[in-house]
Amino acid sequence: MRLATNVDCEHITSLVYCVLREYGLKPDPASTDADIKDIESSYFGRGGTFLVLEAKDGSIIGAYGLYPLEEHACELRKMYLHKAYRGKGLGKLLLDDALAKARQLGFRKMVLETASVLEEAIALYKSYGFVEYTPDHLSSRCDQAYSLELK
């Protein structure tokens, strides 16, 4: 796992859009996915982080971002894993790393939005103790939101 830079934006966008289409979800480059056009200012410039998981050949196969919100909270965004690498424990690796990084950055709460078709991801979140909550708003393709108090 390594920190992403803006050099990675095209590959991250490709990964995200590929997974979205796989599940019948629509990319939204003008709004929900605008943050991956400039990762450095969207994440690092706000005090968050964005990491990528690479295969042995250097291709980006997984990613996640921590987007700072108010009151020591962050939103887990763009946690995606390429289809060919699922079922090998790499989703847990991404989430474990995200939780550890959130704690290192001083966040005390993590929230996320997701779509009900992403059943594997939702099962993973619930297994870590994330609970459903109702946010002020949801992104256009999301119909569920989860929250976890970080200890």
Side-chain angles (χ1 to χ4, degrees), residues 6-149:
N6 279 348
V7 172
D8 300 311
C9 289
E10 184 179 329
H11 298 288
I12 292 165
T13 300
S14 177
L15 169 69
V16 170
Y17 288 8
C18 180
V19 174
L20 288 173
R21 288 186 185 110
E22 174 189 345
Y23 285 91
L25 299 169
K26 292 185 179 187
D28 184 7
S31 182
T32 304
D33 300 317
D35 58 338
I36 53 177
K37 290 179 188 172
D38 184 351
I39 288 167
E40 292 175 18
S41 73
S42 295
Y43 290 88
F44 299 107
R46 295 178 51 91
T49 193
F50 200 103
L51 284 95
V52 292
L53 179 62
E54 295 177 315
K56 289 180 181 165
D57 67 3
S59 61
I60 293 174
I61 60 166
Y64 76 83
L66 297 178
Y67 188 85
L69 302 171
E70 75 291 331
E71 299 177 27
H72 302 287
C74 68
E75 182 178 3
L76 177 64
R77 290 186 175 181
K78 306 302 186 281
M79 191 173 118
Y80 290 100
L81 184 60
H82 189 281
K83 183 178 186 174
Y85 295 89
R86 293 186 206 137
K88 303 173 193 293
L90 297 176
K92 287 181 181 180
L93 177 76
L94 287 169
L95 188 53
D96 284 338
D97 197 72
L99 292 168
K101 290 280 187 288
R103 289 179 182 105
Q104 285 174 359
L105 292 170
F107 296 117
R108 294 194 294 253
K109 181 178 181 179
M110 182 181 287
V111 298
L112 62 91
E113 297 178 2
T114 191
S116 54
V117 295
L118 299 170
E119 294 173 7
E120 302 96 329
I122 293 167
L124 178 64
Y125 301 139
K126 287 181 176 180
S127 77
Y128 274 69
F130 280 86
V131 293
E132 218 167 333
Y133 84 105
T134 304
D136 294 336
H137 73 285
L138 279 170
S139 301
S140 59
R141 68 172 168 253
C142 296
D143 58 6
Q144 296 181 24
Y146 290 85
S147 172
L148 180 70
E149 296 296 326

